[in-house]
Amino acid sequence: MSLVVVGSVAYDGLETPHGKVDRILGGAATYIGLAASFFTDVKLVGIVGDDFAAEDREFLAKRSIDLEGLEQVPGKTFFWQGVYSADMNDRTTLVTDLNVFADFDPKLPEGYRSAPYLMLGNIQPALQRGVRAQMNGVKLTAGDTMNYWIKDYRDELLATIRDWDFLLINDSEARMLSREYNLRRAANAILDMGPNTVVIKRGEYGALLFRRDSHFMVPGYLLEEVFDPTGAGDCFAGGFIGYLAEHNCDLKQGHIDRVDIARAVIYGSVMGSFCCEKFGPDRFRTLTREEIDGRFREFREFTEF
Ligand code: AMP
């Protein structure tokens, strides 16, 4: 089942304790799309400048990602630069040059509008809402957001997530959005805002999924070496929604069983862990579905008792 992915397509400058790259393909939609492409067919919506390299387009196209919705306009591609702390749990943004992304006004190609699955990367809530309005018959809407929108665009954000099935958010943002410190209470407050499913990301410590009738916890996969955590949260989203799309799952209460939800969360974690093994999205150049399923089985073994 097709998945429409909307969000930033970027060049990133990254510095981690393992090294530094000045310019590498990045962006939330890039990571979500790449991760999801191992499960389902992906239709990307984004904007890039005329500096966007043909080889980067090719990389995405080789993963069978539909790029009809990737608009290319005069100007520079969105550029983001960040540096990570020694334990890589914190990062500082050094540069955010929106460039052509500042005028992003997503328009879905005709062939995208009937897709049943939609994943809205972190962009202005009104734009996320506008994208959903262009879809006819969407079955599952998922989205991400960040502190900036929670703080300064709260009403707009609340009006937007009201229509979502799934919200992906990190722990500090969940607290900020819900105004509750305890994560269980925070999750319940968010479930009252519209989504039927909330996943709270906890970086290397894993993720917590909450629904009205259940919750599920997954630890982070213990990699021996984390090279670069950039995009791990987006890859979690890509793996999670990708699995649901592959299995034609609906998240609405009473329409999905616990096993499928648990599997989707584990596949999300698996994709997030692979993302960290190389700089930027490079791990996805060679990754195979066999490796993904192998790590899924490993997860099952080390959490079973
Ligand atoms: P993550 O590590 O999952 O938070 O995602 C990192 C990606 O988000 C990077 O590749 C950046 O290009 C992109 N990014 C950083 N800041 C923003 C922003 N303000 N809006 C949209 N995308 C962003």
Side-chain angles (χ1 to χ4, degrees), residues 16-62:
T16 82
H18 293 280
K20 188 172 187 275
V21 280
D22 292 334
R23 186 179 165 88
I24 191 165
L25 178 65
T30 304
Y31 283 107
I32 297 165
L34 283 168
S37 72
F38 289 87
F39 301 87
T40 192
D41 75 77
V42 173
K43 299 177 179 308
L44 194 80
V45 181
I47 190 165
V48 291
D50 46 21
D51 59 347
F52 195 68
E55 63 193 46
D56 291 321
R57 189 176 269 277
E58 241 165 66
F59 172 30
L60 299 173
K62 263 206 193 135

Side-chain angles (χ1 to χ4, degrees), residues 15-18 82-92 229:
E15 189 174 348
T16 82
H18 293 280
V83 56
Y84 286 85
S85 62
D87 66 3
M88 282 186 275
N89 283 329
D90 286 308
R91 75 173 175 212
T92 308

Side-chain angles (χ1 to χ4, degrees), residues 39 267 270 288-298:
F39 301 87
Y267 273 113
V270 165
T288 63
R289 183 64 193 249
E290 289 69 38
E291 288 177 297
I292 294 169
D293 290 338
R295 189 163 289 180
F296 176 88
R297 286 191 295 273
E298 238 185 286

Side-chain angles (χ1 to χ4, degrees), residues 11 14 30 41 65 72 84 90 96 120 142-143 145 165 171 176 178 191 239 245 253 258 263 287:
Y11 283 117
L14 306 169
T30 304
D41 75 77
I65 296 176
Q72 190 157 18
Y84 286 85
D90 286 308
T96 301
L120 298 158
T145 193
D165 293 285
D171 42 10
M176 201 177 181
S178 63
L191 291 174
Q253 219 70 32
R258 210 184 127 74
R263 285 189 182 142
L287 186 65

Side-chain angles (χ1 to χ4, degrees), residues 135-238:
M135 308 271 299
N136 43 53
V138 64
K139 166 165 154 172
L140 191 158
T141 305
D144 188 12
T145 193
M146 69 186 286
N147 51 7
Y148 177 68
W149 308 118
I150 298 171
K151 211 161 120 272
D152 295 342
Y153 289 73
R154 189 178 176 84
D155 291 343
E156 198 176 300
L157 181 66
L158 290 178
T160 301
I161 67 173
R162 200 180 296 143
D163 301 325
W164 294 2
D165 293 285
F166 172 70
L167 173 70
L168 181 74
I169 195 163
N170 72 29
D171 42 10
S172 64
E173 291 159 357
R175 290 179 171 126
M176 201 177 181
L177 176 62
S178 63
R179 297 173 171 153
E180 292 278 3
Y181 189 79
N182 175 289
L183 287 181
R184 203 158 174 173
R185 292 173 75 111
N188 280 330
I190 295 171
L191 291 174
D192 285 339
M193 295 172 182
N196 53 51
T197 308
V198 178
V199 165
I200 300 182
K201 298 175 279 180
R202 308 183 72 206
E204 67 166 320
Y205 305 111
L208 309 168
L209 174 140
F210 293 91
R211 285 164 64 82
R212 280 267 171 251
D213 56 352
S214 61
H215 66 279
F216 184 74
M217 297 180 244
V218 59
Y221 183 83
L222 280 176
L223 287 171
E224 232 166 272
E225 251 173 332
V226 174
F227 269 90
D228 168 25
T230 308
D234 300 315
C235 290
F236 179 99

